[in-house]
Amino acid sequence: QRHILHELEQLREQPAKTADGYAVRLSANIEWAEELRLLRKHGASGVGLFRSEYLFLNRAEPPSEDSQADVYGSVARELAPEPVVIRTLDVGGDRILPSEQTSNELNPFLGWRAIRFCLDRPDIFRPQLRAILRASRHGNVRIMYPMVCCTKELKAANRMLEKCKDELRDEGVEFDENIPVGVMIEIPSAALCAELFAPHVDFFSLGTNDLIQYTLAVDRVNDHVSHLYEPTHLAILKLLQYVVEAGHKNDIWVSICGEMAGDPVLAPLLIGLGIDELSVTPILAPMIKDVIRKLKYSDARELAQKCMQYRSPVTVRRRCRELTREIAGEVLELLD
Amino acid sequence: QRHILHELEQLREQPAKTADGYAVRLSANIEWAEELRLLRKHGASGVGLFRSEYLFLNRAEPPSEDSQADVYGSVARELAPEPVVIRTLDVGGDRILPSEQTSNELNPFLGWRAIRFCLDRPDIFRPQLRAILRASRHGNVRIMYPMVCCTKELKAANRMLEKCKDELRDEGVEFDENIPVGVMIEIPSAALCAELFAPHVDFFSLGTNDLIQYTLAVDRVNDHVSHLYEPTHLAILKLLQYVVEAGHKNDIWVSICGEMAGDPVLAPLLIGLGIDELSVTPILAPMIKDVIRKLKYSDARELAQKCMQYRSPVTVRRRCRELTREIAGEVLELLD
Ligand SMILES: [Mg+2]
Ligand SMILES: [Mg+2]
């Protein structure tokens, strides 16, 4: 095992490119600026998901615009020219801001979360948008909205962003005028209507954990039903395929930042479906990179086409596992 | 208004057929056997959804197999030869059996509900299936499973049903050997993979209330987010269209028993999408029948085709409203 780990660490400086030369972007999900050193250690390129809510959760009041701008700016500077995708505040659900009343929602996962909360609370959303914009001059910063279910929300968020840009211009504060904006695709309606979002964004990022939960109506931390949580359900594969098609038809980059992306068994399937970027927990990056480098893109395409034909999620997973075992059995050894 | 109501009541004996001769099935949703008289009064044909959970909710212990067989049998007898679709127990979510512990689920709508609960609790499910089978010899009885998200569940429910049939045969108890079995399509994965369900059932019934909630990740009784609950979101229309296509390709009857079916503004759109049956609250049946009888099926088809092209749910609703106003303005007067 130590031998395998050592081998994987040697990949740090190698590109995430398949054996037949197809480039995949392999980035990292982080929660704290302090995790940036893990990116270098494990050889991930840039941050595909910076979960900004952790700046908010362990303090009595929301952080000021200035202190947010400092954190985002330092991350941007350290990573430049690699990108950092900052997700706007994703609270609600199982993460309640200390400054808010507990919500007493019957079903918080179907409730006042993320962009829904932020659009209703410009006192919290505006300072964050301004802080991200201010940080953008220090590097390659991108903004991403979570939990968008309709274009009305997406347009409202973009209007708020434009207003913040206007303010900063008036104040003479520099920022990246072309800061890319993306939307998380993690609600079934967003996946089903991705083409309606395309004119309003520069990239899609599939949040598969939530997408699977909603598509199957399964809370995966509920022991009574977690056995129904199936990343390889045909419904999920259809949604992923649809989002990639809608994205690429509109020149939109498609990333995945859910746990699926960091599963060495599923990565070939995702690449075969046309996903452009896998954003994973830093520690998983070496394994995923190893799989990518030993994979042929043509085999990944074939695998994806086959998997779209299977009726059972178990068959899909088995076929995926066979391919990973064949090309990178040592990774499965590490995991088992 | 009294005049309009009087006119509508005159439709009682008239068929639910469009002006150009296309027959729609107009049935009723009921919770109690006592509501059967409302069917006759309001001119609905048969019961498209009998919500069996009300037999269970206002008593300390689940009703016995015998007492269930009595209720289902009397409903079947009274309606024969019209069908009654009995939905198996749909508890969990916001309806907890008095005999069960409160569930303490963080998100009950994504939890241990309906078929998920029943498959884990044969002590409750088996007596109900046996009672429905026993009732089936008295009329035109159909079984329907709620909240199915994958074929594994559907097959398990059917296996349990076959076991109950075997038992009854051994006991020499008569039942309808060809009792039709249906599945509710109310979880996005079920809609997206309806073709996988088709080999295992005789009909689909779209539970649009839940389908909309899950597809948009919106709890519609949560005041913070209920404004996002949009029956005319393009994602919903796509799912409805997909289910109808998958159904009809496999000779499967497609019904809707959600609130959408009883909305005079939306009924023409649903008919235009190819829905075979609208199952509504009895009191709404006269209005829906009036709209159907004044509607041209060709106009409904055209409306549906147009609505699939609109980007905004508001535009869809407006177009639907225009058609209903044009053909049956008096119904909108009643509602406004
Ligand atoms: Mg999420
Ligand atoms: Mg339901």
Side-chain angles (χ1 to χ4, degrees):
Chain A
Q1 287 224 334
R2 201 178 301 165
H3 174 71
I4 302 174
L5 283 171
H6 180 74
E7 293 279 303
L8 291 182
E9 290 302 330
Q10 302 313 304
L11 298 176
R12 191 181 304 154
E13 309 295 330
Q14 302 297 321
K17 207 174 248 184
T18 64
D20 49 353
Y22 176 85
V24 177
R25 182 156 189 94
L26 180 59
S27 56
N29 300 340
I30 66 168
E31 297 170 3
W32 304 103
E34 291 71 25
E35 291 174 279
L36 287 180
R37 56 173 190 82
L38 294 177
L39 261 72
R40 281 185 292 273
K41 180 169 176 220
H42 296 299
S45 310
V47 167
L49 169 62
F50 181 74
R51 298 190 172 96
S52 65
E53 49 277 8
Y54 291 92
L55 288 175
F56 289 71
L57 287 175
N58 60 343
R59 47 193 305 150
E61 295 295 323
S64 67
E65 178 184 321
D66 284 351
S67 71
Q68 287 186 67
D70 282 351
V71 174
Y72 306 147
S74 75
V75 172
R77 241 187 318 261
E78 268 202 69
L79 281 175
E82 294 295 329
V84 50
V85 175
I86 301 176
R87 178 172 72 185
T88 61
L89 189 61
D90 185 5
V91 290
D94 46 359
R95 291 186 291 255
I96 305 296
L97 284 190
S99 56
E100 300 294 310
Q101 310 276 6
T102 45
S103 65
N104 281 326
E105 293 175 299
L106 181 63
N107 290 281
F109 281 2
L110 304 174
W112 201 38
R113 302 181 58 172
I115 198 70
R116 299 166 178 187
F117 173 83
C118 284
L119 288 174
D120 288 347
R121 292 294 299 270
D123 58 313
I124 292 177
F125 197 33
R126 266 190 61 247
Q128 181 172 42
L129 291 176
R130 286 176 51 103
I132 297 172
L133 287 169
R134 285 167 56 185
S136 68
R137 73 188 183 97
H138 300 298
N140 186 349
V141 174
R142 301 170 184 184
I143 291 189
M144 177 162 81
Y145 308 125
M147 284 286 289
V148 175
C149 77
C150 60
T151 46
K152 193 171 64 174
E153 290 173 309
L154 182 53
K155 288 194 234 171
N158 273 342
R159 269 198 306 274
M160 184 96 65
L161 182 66
E162 288 308 315
K163 229 175 104 184
C164 291
K165 287 184 183 175
D166 286 343
E167 291 170 9
L168 292 177
R169 273 184 217 108
D170 286 350
E171 297 164 22
V173 178
E174 250 185 270
F175 61 91
D176 177 0
E177 286 279 354
N178 300 310
I179 186 168
V181 173
V183 62
M184 285 197 69
I185 306 286
E186 54 183 336
I187 294 182
S189 63
L192 285 162
C193 297
E195 76 278 11
L196 299 186
F197 289 177
H200 307 287
V201 295
D202 303 294
F203 63 94
F204 293 156
S205 186
L206 282 147
T208 43
N209 301 3
D210 274 324
L211 186 62
I212 297 166
Q213 292 202 122
Y214 296 128
T215 303
L216 302 178
V218 168
D219 180 350
R220 66 188 185 137
V221 304
N222 180 330
D223 289 339
H224 280 302
V225 296
S226 55
H227 65 100
L228 296 169
Y229 181 90
E230 280 283 15
T232 52
H233 192 299
L234 180 59
I236 305 302
L237 304 191
K238 284 187 182 187
L239 290 180
L240 298 182
Q241 189 181 49
Y242 187 79
V243 171
V244 168
E245 274 174 21
H248 291 179
K249 214 176 284 172
N250 293 282
D251 284 319
I252 299 272
W253 180 261
V254 183
S255 163
I256 292 198
C257 62
E259 280 173 28
M260 267 182 108
D263 183 342
V265 168
L266 298 181
L269 171 60
L270 300 178
I271 292 168
L273 286 170
I275 299 292
D276 301 300
E277 172 176 357
L278 304 176
S279 189
V280 307
T281 306
I283 200 174
L284 296 172
M287 282 192 282
I288 299 297
K289 194 186 277 187
D290 185 49
V291 170
I292 292 172
R293 291 177 56 83
K294 290 172 173 165
L295 177 70
K296 276 200 200 136
Y297 180 60
S298 54
D299 288 344
R301 295 298 287 184
E302 203 189 308
L303 175 72
Q305 275 158 25
K306 273 193 193 148
C307 287
M308 296 303 299
Q309 307 303 321
Y310 298 136
R311 292 170 160 260
S312 154
V314 177
T315 312
V316 172
R317 180 166 275 278
R318 191 187 310 129
R319 280 302 165 99
C320 291
R321 205 178 162 80
E322 281 166 12
L323 181 57
T324 300
R325 192 193 299 124
E326 201 179 291
I327 62 173
E330 71 283 1
V331 165
L332 294 188
E333 262 177 60
L334 266 185
L335 289 177
D336 292 341
Chain B
Q1 285 224 335
R2 201 179 300 166
H3 174 71
I4 302 174
L5 283 171
H6 181 74
E7 292 280 303
L8 291 181
E9 290 301 330
Q10 302 312 305
L11 298 175
R12 191 182 304 155
E13 309 295 331
Q14 301 297 320
K17 207 175 249 183
T18 64
D20 50 353
Y22 177 84
V24 177
R25 184 159 187 92
L26 179 60
S27 56
N29 301 340
I30 66 168
E31 297 171 1
W32 304 103
E34 291 70 26
E35 291 175 279
L36 286 181
R37 57 172 189 83
L38 294 177
L39 261 73
R40 279 184 293 273
K41 180 172 175 216
H42 296 299
S45 310
V47 167
L49 169 62
F50 181 74
R51 298 190 171 97
S52 66
E53 48 277 8
Y54 292 91
L55 287 176
F56 289 71
L57 288 174
N58 60 342
R59 47 194 304 151
E61 295 294 323
S64 68
E65 178 184 320
D66 284 350
S67 70
Q68 288 185 68
D70 281 351
V71 174
Y72 305 148
S74 75
V75 172
R77 241 188 317 260
E78 268 201 69
L79 280 175
E82 293 295 328
V84 51
V85 175
I86 301 175
R87 177 171 73 184
T88 61
L89 190 61
D90 185 5
V91 290
D94 46 359
R95 290 186 290 255
I96 305 297
L97 284 190
S99 55
E100 301 293 311
Q101 311 275 7
T102 44
S103 66
N104 282 325
E105 292 174 300
L106 181 61
N107 291 280
F109 280 1
L110 304 173
W112 200 38
R113 302 181 58 172
I115 198 71
R116 299 165 178 189
F117 174 82
C118 284
L119 288 173
D120 288 347
R121 291 294 298 270
D123 59 312
I124 291 176
F125 197 33
R126 265 190 62 246
Q128 182 173 41
L129 291 176
R130 286 176 51 103
I132 297 172
L133 287 169
R134 285 168 56 186
S136 67
R137 73 187 184 97
H138 300 298
N140 186 348
V141 173
R142 301 172 184 183
I143 291 187
M144 177 162 81
Y145 308 125
M147 284 286 290
V148 175
C149 77
C150 59
T151 47
K152 193 171 65 174
E153 291 173 309
L154 182 54
K155 288 194 231 171
N158 273 342
R159 269 197 306 274
M160 184 96 68
L161 181 66
E162 289 307 315
K163 229 175 105 182
C164 292
K165 286 184 184 176
D166 286 343
E167 291 169 8
L168 292 177
R169 272 184 218 108
D170 287 349
E171 296 164 23
V173 177
E174 251 184 88
F175 61 91
D176 177 359
E177 286 280 354
N178 300 310
I179 185 168
V181 173
V183 62
M184 284 197 71
I185 306 286
E186 55 183 336
I187 294 181
S189 64
L192 284 161
C193 298
E195 76 278 12
L196 300 186
F197 289 178
H200 307 288
V201 295
D202 303 293
F203 63 94
F204 293 155
S205 186
L206 282 147
T208 43
N209 300 4
D210 274 325
L211 185 63
I212 297 166
Q213 293 202 121
Y214 295 128
T215 303
L216 302 178
V218 168
D219 180 351
R220 65 185 184 140
V221 304
N222 180 330
D223 290 339
H224 280 301
V225 297
S226 55
H227 67 101
L228 296 169
Y229 181 89
E230 280 282 15
T232 52
H233 192 299
L234 179 59
I236 305 302
L237 304 191
K238 283 188 181 187
L239 290 179
L240 297 183
Q241 188 181 51
Y242 187 79
V243 171
V244 168
E245 274 174 23
H248 290 178
K249 213 177 283 172
N250 292 282
D251 284 319
I252 299 272
W253 181 261
V254 183
S255 164
I256 292 200
C257 62
E259 280 173 28
M260 267 181 109
D263 184 340
V265 167
L266 298 181
L269 171 60
L270 299 178
I271 292 167
L273 286 169
I275 299 292
D276 301 300
E277 172 176 357
L278 304 176
S279 190
V280 306
T281 306
I283 200 173
L284 297 173
M287 283 191 284
I288 299 297
K289 194 186 278 186
D290 185 48
V291 170
I292 292 171
R293 291 177 55 84
K294 289 171 172 166
L295 177 71
K296 274 200 201 139
Y297 180 60
S298 55
D299 289 344
R301 295 298 288 182
E302 205 189 307
L303 174 73
Q305 275 159 24
K306 273 194 194 148
C307 287
M308 296 303 299
Q309 308 303 322
Y310 298 136
R311 291 169 161 261
S312 153
V314 177
T315 312
V316 172
R317 180 167 275 278
R318 191 186 311 128
R319 279 304 165 99
C320 291
R321 207 179 161 79
E322 280 167 13
L323 181 57
T324 299
R325 192 193 299 123
E326 201 178 291
I327 62 173
E330 71 284 1
V331 165
L332 293 188
E333 263 178 58
L334 265 186
L335 288 177
D336 292 343

